Amino acid sequence: MSAYTRREFLEFLGYSSAAIGAVTMVGCKKKPSQQSLGQLKAIPAGLSKDEVTLSPGFSYDVLIKYGDQINAKESFGFNNDYIAFLPKGRNKAVMWVNHEYPNPLFIHGNVDNTSKTKAQVEAEMKSVGGSIVHLKRNKAGQWRVDFTHPDNYCVNGLAEIPLIAEMPIEGSKTAIGTFANCAGGVTPWGTVLTCEENYHDMYGERVAYNKREIKSSKYSYAWGKHFPYPPEHYGWVVEIDTTQKTAKKLTALGRFAHEGATCINAKDGRTVVYMGDDKAGECIYKFISDQKGSLEKGQLYVADTTNGQWLSLDIKQQPSLQKKFKNQTEVLIWSREAAKTVGATPQNRPEDIEINPVNGDILVALTNNKDTKDYFGSILRIQEKDGDHLATEFTASTFAAGGPETGFASPDNMAFDNNGNLWMTTDISGSAMNKHPYAFHGNNGLFVIPMQGENAGKAIQVASAPHDAEFTGPFFAPDGKTLFLSVQHPGENSKSLESVTSHWPEGGSNLPKPAVIAITGPMLEMIASS
Ligand code: FEO
Ligand code: CA
Ligand code: CA
Ligand code: CA
């Protein structure tokens, strides 16, 4: 965890001890990003250690971990995922962090879902959603959590959240709780979008459109036994205003296993949101807002990547939807069925989406799909016609494919740095990690893919995660000098508290805890800050 000394770093770059005195760090910082990438040393392939291993020139600090008190009554939730860093001047910031799902073993100890008490379910409900914590720089200029800030708070599985919809959904315009919060996005006006992904794990899902029966999922947390809320209240994108302390569920963006929601303003000032539905055989969506500064109303499209078309999901424009659904609200609730009805292309688990700041290309992480024998996944590139985010036509091609030859597998979250390099985390599931055909990869990792220069398109691994964990939510501070990163589900394969598979981050005999880390270091600055 210790930061590299200047001497160690210069030695790593190949300067002799005698020359070190003559080299200034200012000189190093002026090296262009491409040259820095040539000096970047990948970590050894296939690592499986119970620690965060980083390339030379990078270091990390744990900012906040599960259970840390953020105010008098609330603590930092479980399985932190998406991170949004919202600067408030040079030395202060607000950080939103998603909490995706609970692990009953570490939350209350009862791993038998059929015998869970109401209090145990409530504890799980409080462990998910999101946390808002305030950050400030310390004297050394490093970002740290201000645990005493009066405006730290949580939005969890018990919060009352309005459903912004044309009509009541299951008789209500309010939902209780947000959970399964996977990735997200930041709007051009500085609010956060947090995405409800595997919502069916909590309250199940109707067996089909127009059927009332609810089916539990394979990994059910069985909350419905104590809290019988309708599945239709979940699976939405939720907009969080951390300043006003408000939240709302934006039904116009559709309902599915929302991974993330990546925003960009179109040439006319309206906002376009790109979204993936993280399930094998599901689709890629695009939303175009009706008005500037609001995502409450707009047009939802789904991708036909075979023919390069964005297909409208507006019932007024699609006779096939009129035949199947009563109104637009039902189309939105049943987005997956509507997408298939209009002819959208099934994909290999669309996860995070990022837009290349240099050329406007849209990159979509397709994690994997055992059903189509795509074990290692790929990154799909979508280029809108004439570079216009309002276009209904595009071209699609593979940007990078995972596998032993390229060194990565199952791409998930992504982020661009200030020099246009793509950073990517991998999501090999706990049950598959370090086994055939993923053994070459070792634990999950963090990679950087240069977009220019001699290493363009090559994935270079810069970090490896602790046992059973996944890195999620990479988010750069605006100066590119700090990379915030979630370490999610360390020790997830533990069968009991007496035999845990990870002790990260506290080590010794401590229980594992999901945590947010801040990665810094001279190599990060050289590559990622402009
Ligand atoms: Fe929650 Fe798609 O990962
Ligand atoms: Ca994810
Ligand atoms: Ca991202
Ligand atoms: Ca994932």
Side-chain angles (χ1 to χ4, degrees):
M1 235 192 267
S2 67
Y4 271 77
T5 65
R6 173 174 168 273
R7 172 168 293 272
E8 284 169 334
F9 184 63
L10 290 171
E11 280 174 351
F12 152 67
L13 289 180
Y15 293 105
S16 69
S17 293
I20 285 172
V23 178
T24 67
M25 288 309 282
V26 173
C28 286
K29 282 177 189 167
K30 282 183 181 164
K31 282 177 189 290
S33 170
Q34 279 181 31
Q35 196 179 331
S36 314
L37 280 157
Q39 295 161 345
L40 172 61
K41 199 173 165 187
I43 61 166
L47 283 185
S48 182
K49 296 184 176 180
D50 189 29
E51 56 192 51
V52 174
T53 306
L54 292 163
S55 286
F58 296 82
S59 57
Y60 80 95
D61 293 287
V62 173
L63 285 192
I64 190 164
K65 58 189 184 304
Y66 168 62
D68 286 350
Q69 214 66 33
I70 62 163
N71 61 34
K73 291 187 182 151
E74 294 173 308
S75 58
F76 194 67
F78 203 74
N79 271 347
N80 40 271
D81 199 316
Y82 177 72
I83 298 167
F85 177 91
L86 309 169
K88 304 283 170 194
R90 220 190 95 68
N91 296 317
K92 291 186 177 171
V94 171
M95 184 170 73
W96 162 274
V97 183
N98 280 2
H99 298 292
E100 191 177 20
Y101 60 96
N103 184 331
L105 177 67
F106 296 117
I107 289 173
H108 49 67
N110 181 4
V111 294
D112 172 16
N113 283 335
T114 61
S115 67
K116 256 187 228 170
T117 65
K118 190 174 181 184
Q120 287 171 335
V121 171
E122 274 179 340
E124 292 181 16
M125 293 166 105
K126 286 178 183 167
S127 78
V128 294
S131 294
I132 294 98
V133 291
H134 288 248
L135 305 185
K136 57 184 180 185
R137 286 187 199 265
N138 64 14
K139 285 194 180 127
Q142 301 159 313
W143 289 105
R144 293 290 179 263
V145 175
D146 180 356
F147 288 98
T148 62
H149 198 287
D151 293 319
N152 293 340
Y153 71 103
C154 295
V155 180
N156 61 31
L158 289 159
E160 269 190 39
I161 306 177
L163 289 154
I164 308 300
E166 283 180 4
M167 54 185 67
I169 295 176
E170 289 295 306
S172 179
K173 283 205 133 186
T174 303
I176 302 299
T178 185
F179 45 78
N181 309 75
C182 188
V186 177
T187 65
W189 46 96
T191 56
V192 175
L193 302 177
T194 177
C195 295
E196 297 177 344
E197 191 194 45
N198 293 320
Y199 62 91
H200 53 285
D201 290 342
M202 282 69 176
Y203 296 114
E205 180 60 297
R206 306 272 176 213
V207 290
Y209 175 55
N210 271 336
K211 294 266 172 29
R212 297 303 296 167
E213 189 190 337
I214 294 174
K215 187 176 173 226
S216 296
S217 74
K218 188 175 160 194
Y219 301 104
S220 175
Y221 295 96
W223 289 2
K225 191 174 132 195
H226 296 292
F227 297 89
Y229 299 135
E232 291 88 342
H233 286 187
Y234 312 100
W236 303 109
V237 174
V238 186
E239 184 175 359
I240 306 284
D241 186 330
T242 61
T243 308
Q244 301 297 319
K245 299 188 179 176
T246 56
K248 55 187 174 186
K249 298 203 179 195
L250 303 166
T251 66
L253 278 66
R255 175 172 170 270
F256 43 88
H258 277 282
E259 171 75 25
T262 304
C263 300
I264 190 160
N265 274 353
K267 58 191 177 187
D268 65 0
R270 291 184 293 155
T271 298
V272 178
V273 190
Y274 294 93
M275 304 173 283
D277 180 358
D278 183 4
K279 187 181 178 201
E282 291 303 337
C283 303
I284 299 164
Y285 294 77
K286 164 165 112 169
F287 172 82
I288 303 176
S289 71
D290 280 353
Q291 294 179 337
K292 296 177 188 178
S294 169
L295 300 177
E296 292 195 3
K297 289 186 177 154
Q299 292 289 315
L300 187 63
Y301 298 85
V302 65
D304 167 355
T305 52
T306 309
N307 298 301
Q309 301 273 329
W310 289 109
L311 308 171
S312 170
L313 290 176
D314 183 344
I315 197 167
K316 294 199 286 294
Q317 293 183 34
Q318 295 282 19
S320 61
L321 296 181
Q322 292 162 17
K323 277 192 212 135
K324 189 157 190 175
F325 299 98
K326 285 203 276 292
N327 53 53
Q328 185 63 20
T329 301
E330 294 203 349
V331 169
L332 294 169
I333 292 171
W334 294 93
S335 298
R336 282 179 175 168
E337 285 64 23
K340 301 293 162 55
T341 302
V342 299
T345 312
Q347 310 285 343
N348 294 343
R349 288 187 56 199
E351 296 215 64
D352 201 6
I353 298 180
E354 285 297 327
I355 301 167
N356 187 327
V358 175
N359 58 19
D361 286 357
I362 296 131
L363 298 182
V364 184
L366 301 176
T367 290
N368 57 39
N369 185 355
K370 276 186 262 161
D371 302 343
T372 60
K373 301 214 172 351
D374 175 9
Y375 295 102
F376 304 122
S378 63
I379 299 174
L380 181 77
R381 172 170 40 206
I382 290 178
Q383 294 171 304
E384 297 277 29
K385 190 177 181 191
D386 301 325
D388 179 3
H389 293 288
L390 303 174
T392 54
E393 292 173 43
F394 62 86
T395 54
S397 57
T398 298
F399 166 72
E405 308 78 27
T406 49
F408 71 90
S410 306
D412 187 344
N413 291 155
M414 302 183 289
F416 277 97
D417 68 26
N418 284 351
N419 292 313
N421 302 302
L422 180 67
W423 297 68
M424 170 196 70
T425 61
T426 59
D427 175 13
I428 300 166
S429 71
S431 56
M433 214 184 292
N434 291 299
K435 292 178 192 157
H436 180 75
Y438 298 102
F440 74 92
H441 194 289
N443 291 358
N444 278 313
L446 168 73
F447 294 74
V448 59
I449 303 180
M451 299 303 261
Q452 290 176 14
E454 57 183 297
N455 289 317
K458 190 176 151 192
I460 304 167
Q461 188 171 6
V462 297
S464 173
H467 286 163
D468 309 345
E470 170 189 1
F471 291 131
T472 56
F475 202 101
F476 282 95
D479 63 8
K481 294 178 180 176
T482 305
L483 172 58
F484 299 96
L485 190 65
S486 277
V487 181
Q488 198 192 40
H489 55 75
E492 183 162 65
N493 292 339
S494 303
K495 295 277 183 275
S496 74
L497 295 180
E498 290 71 43
S499 60
V500 291
T501 53
S502 170
H503 300 284
W504 191 88
E506 295 167 307
S509 59
N510 287 295
L511 295 176
K513 288 177 181 169
V516 174
I517 62 174
I519 296 177
T520 55
M523 193 46 113
L524 181 77
E525 288 192 22
M526 289 172 69
I527 296 170
S529 73
S530 49

